[in-house]
Amino acid sequence: MKILTELELIAACVGLLDDRTNLSGVERKIIRLVSAKSLPAHDIDSIRESIWQGNDPLGEAFSIIRPAHHRRSIGAVYTPSPIIHSMMAWLKEQGIPTRIVDPGAGSGRFIIASGETFPNAQLIAIEIDPLAALMLRANLAVRGWTARATVLVKDYRTVKLPRCAGVTAFIGNPPYVRHHQIAEDWKSWYTSRFAEFGIKASALAGLHLHFFLQTRLLAKPGDLGALITSAEWLDVNYGSALRRLLLSELGGVAIHVLEPKVEAFPGTATTAAITCFRVGEKEIPVRVRSVDELASLNGLNKGEDVEREQLRAAPRWSIVVRPTGHSQTGGSELGELFRVHRGQVTGANGIWIAGERAERLPERVKLAAVTKAKDLIDAGQRLQSTAQLRRVIDLPAELDDFTEEERRRIDQFLSWAKTQGADQGYIAQHRKAWWSVGLKAPAPILCTYMARRPPQFTINLCEARHINIAHGLYPREPLPENVIANLVVWLNNNIHTGSGRTYAGGLTKFEPKEIERLRIPNLETFFA
């Protein structure tokens, strides 16, 4: 049977439930929406059979029916089963937990796998979305586990767990919600509770980092777990609190970074991290590795050991987990040869990137420029022509050198630009003249600044300008053409995403200073 609407999904859950006595108030409320509607018995039997075969037809239907932007607003992205099985295999190697807690259970993929792996463990699943909680209960009911499992329809941060004599394992996929959607009182909770551990935390942290903190607050020494999240916390400033927590109180023991093509979160091109921990562990090395194929997970039993002191000293962790492949001790830094500058911010691309309104402007104020990363990616290692590039209007601050006719046309354009608010933006108001973008001189080498791939380094043979979607590399001392050409080849072959900062969505960002810190071989290498 194909479930087409949320009402049909609710009806399917109701048809599978064997006991409604423990439903929360919000679950009872949505059940009333389908009180007069039920699915045919043969459809319910078909869904039950699919669940028995190990599938998640309810969760799959939910992921199709509810629009992606609605699911992402509460972080509802469900984990593929091969990843779950690898996380379970790791957990099984650690021993037999008495209790298993899934902090954001969704339709129950982790808690069901936990119940199958550990038949005597107590199961606790926390899920804030009442429809997802119903799906979870339906999946438990089909297996006859209604009495065995506790389902809490709550915000994980409000949960209190009873004492447990044995080991509690925390496993799951905490929801990814950006800080813009987190209430101020929860941000205050986050920073103040971290302060109790002597750690300064940023209120810019996403919800998944709140879940790590709450896990530590609920756990006792010796408890353990594995959580899969977006990997951006490895690098960004607001991830520093979690990095410190993992090296101390939370007891991180392994980090497996899954490249975007693994598709840890279906429908998103996101770099993921599986973080394994044993609460209170502060001594042993942390096992790290980068995984670019799903088949390589192998129960999370591979990787390189990194001393905790090395991680403690590293300002970003992705370069430790995913090294560039070039020795960090030999050679030199790229910044010893080049100054790196981000391109100019226009403040209003819709105005200053030349369109129809700019047709009558003097050609000499419309400069060919790299205005999107694709310009460099398409060009490859050599940008030979400006023919495919757009033009950026770059007027001087003083307009006295134009002819009377040119000045009339410029004034007409600027009058239109003012009606569009071009003179009111922050950037415009902080220029010497609001109309003067001030493009930087052509850089011999250009490189992309943010993409779901390593940076593209390109020789700027046509002397194009660039705006702030790219960086310009300017030699500190003149360099021969063949040296620049050989260096660009080396950079494109050896610099990987691990040298930058990875954000949700799989974007890797390289700030100018991060480009300057890239390690390269000695200059003599490039004279060959």
Side-chain angles (χ1 to χ4, degrees):
M1 178 212 173
K2 188 173 184 179
I3 301 171
L4 300 176
T5 68
E6 284 202 11
L7 288 179
E8 289 182 350
L9 183 55
I10 295 169
C13 293
V14 171
L16 294 167
L17 291 176
D18 55 0
D19 184 358
R20 302 187 198 177
T21 57
N22 291 322
L23 296 186
S24 65
V26 285
E27 289 172 288
R28 294 180 187 279
K29 183 177 180 180
I30 66 172
I31 279 179
R32 287 197 289 272
L33 298 173
V34 296
S35 58
K37 179 181 177 63
S38 61
L39 296 181
H42 63 84
D43 287 340
I44 297 295
D45 289 342
S46 175
I47 296 170
R48 182 180 289 109
E49 178 61 27
S50 180
I51 293 172
W52 263 114
Q53 292 174 1
N55 301 315
D56 182 20
L58 302 176
E60 291 170 0
F62 175 80
S63 297
I64 295 171
I65 294 167
R66 184 167 290 183
H69 66 278
H70 286 169
R71 287 187 285 108
R72 288 172 190 156
S73 68
I74 58 171
V77 181
Y78 293 172
T79 311
S81 58
I83 295 176
I84 295 172
H85 293 154
S86 277
M87 292 170 70
M88 284 298 153
W90 176 83
L91 190 58
K92 190 172 183 179
E93 288 181 355
Q94 312 310 306
I96 307 298
T98 300
R99 178 172 66 182
I100 298 174
V101 177
D102 183 345
S107 60
R109 295 184 180 183
F110 277 99
I111 211 69
I112 295 298
S114 298
E116 292 171 345
T117 306
F118 305 102
N120 297 316
Q122 177 191 358
L123 307 177
I124 300 178
I126 299 105
E127 173 55 53
I128 198 170
D129 182 344
L131 177 51
L134 277 178
M135 296 188 296
L136 167 58
R137 292 187 195 273
N139 277 318
L140 291 168
V142 169
R143 289 168 174 78
W145 293 355
T146 299
R148 179 186 174 192
T150 300
V151 178
L152 303 177
V153 188
K154 292 183 176 182
D155 186 320
Y156 180 55
R157 295 167 295 185
T158 68
V159 167
K160 307 292 183 185
L161 295 177
R163 296 177 66 87
C164 176
V167 170
T168 297
F170 298 82
I171 192 161
N173 174 4
Y176 180 87
V177 177
R178 298 183 68 192
H179 76 93
H180 310 83
Q181 297 170 269
I182 298 175
E184 290 300 322
D185 56 343
W186 279 119
K187 291 182 179 181
S188 296
W189 170 87
Y190 180 78
T191 55
S192 62
R193 296 311 300 265
F194 253 118
E196 294 173 8
F197 293 114
I199 298 174
K200 184 178 180 180
S202 168
L204 301 182
L207 185 60
H208 54 306
L209 270 66
H210 288 223
F211 274 48
F212 274 104
L213 173 59
Q214 174 66 355
T215 296
R216 175 60 192 94
L217 295 173
L218 292 174
K220 65 181 186 303
D223 289 346
L224 49 84
L227 301 177
I228 180 170
T229 65
S230 164
E232 65 186 24
W233 62 265
L234 292 168
D235 293 334
V236 294
N237 290 337
Y238 61 73
S240 63
L242 174 56
R243 297 197 291 271
R244 288 189 60 187
L245 193 71
L246 285 168
L247 293 177
S248 56
E249 295 287 336
L250 192 54
V253 295
I255 301 170
H256 303 266
V257 174
L258 281 59
E259 302 297 339
K261 66 180 182 179
V262 175
E263 293 191 338
F265 308 118
T268 67
T270 301
T271 305
I274 299 173
T275 307
C276 305
F277 53 89
R278 185 177 300 107
V279 177
E281 177 58 65
K282 301 178 182 180
E283 302 297 332
I284 67 171
V286 178
R287 177 157 292 188
V288 303
R289 68 166 172 157
S290 177
V291 179
D292 57 10
E293 293 182 355
L294 196 57
S296 300
L297 277 176
N298 288 331
L300 311 184
N301 58 6
K302 294 185 178 179
E304 300 292 330
D305 288 343
V306 175
E307 294 297 330
R308 301 176 97 81
E309 283 304 315
Q310 182 181 346
L311 288 170
R312 192 169 285 111
R316 298 182 295 108
W317 282 11
S318 65
I319 199 166
V320 178
V321 178
R322 299 181 294 171
T324 63
H326 182 66
S327 169
Q328 298 297 304
T329 56
S332 61
E333 290 188 349
L334 186 61
E336 295 177 33
L337 299 179
F338 291 86
R339 292 174 290 107
V340 179
H341 293 293
R342 182 180 294 126
Q344 187 62 43
V345 179
T346 72
N349 284 356
I351 293 169
W352 302 115
I353 294 179
E356 291 182 5
R357 291 278 183 171
E359 286 181 357
R360 302 186 68 204
L361 289 175
E363 290 301 316
R364 68 179 183 277
V365 304
K366 295 183 286 188
L367 305 183
V370 171
T371 59
K372 53 185 184 295
K374 192 171 185 294
D375 293 338
L376 297 180
I377 293 170
D378 287 349
Q381 299 197 141
R382 293 173 177 267
L383 182 62
Q384 309 216 44
S385 169
T386 63
Q388 302 303 316
L389 300 180
R390 293 188 288 180
R391 269 55 181 168
V392 173
I393 300 163
D394 194 26
L395 293 162
E398 302 294 336
L399 302 175
D400 297 339
D401 290 339
F402 292 97
T403 66
E404 183 176 342
E405 175 61 20
E406 288 175 333
R407 181 63 184 268
R408 185 179 66 81
R409 294 179 180 183
I410 290 170
D411 288 344
Q412 287 178 341
F413 176 82
L414 294 181
S415 294
W416 168 78
K418 289 185 75 171
T419 67
Q420 307 302 305
D423 61 331
Q424 298 301 310
Y426 176 86
I427 299 298
Q429 292 189 355
H430 286 78
R431 291 175 180 148
K432 181 179 180 181
W434 67 265
W435 58 79
S436 185
V437 171
L439 292 175
K440 292 180 173 64
I445 301 175
L446 297 170
C447 74
T448 54
Y449 152 59
M450 180 179 281
R452 293 183 177 88
R453 48 156 288 164
Q456 171 65 51
F457 293 87
T458 300
I459 303 173
N460 186 13
L461 294 173
C462 60
E463 298 189 333
R465 309 301 179 93
H466 65 291
I467 63 173
N468 64 317
I469 56 79
H471 295 325
L473 279 65
Y474 297 86
R476 295 184 183 276
E477 301 289 342
L479 292 172
E481 290 183 5
N482 69 311
V483 170
I484 289 178
N486 291 336
L487 174 62
V488 165
V489 171
W490 188 93
L491 290 168
N492 284 323
N493 288 334
N494 290 276
I495 301 304
H496 308 299
T497 54
S499 302
R501 303 182 182 199
T502 303
Y503 291 79
L507 288 173
T508 299
K509 178 179 179 183
F510 287 79
E511 297 289 0
K513 291 298 181 184
E514 288 165 337
I515 296 291
E516 289 187 358
R517 284 195 294 266
L518 294 174
R519 303 291 304 185
I520 61 172
N522 291 321
L523 180 60
E524 293 75 14
T525 305
F526 302 109
F527 277 90

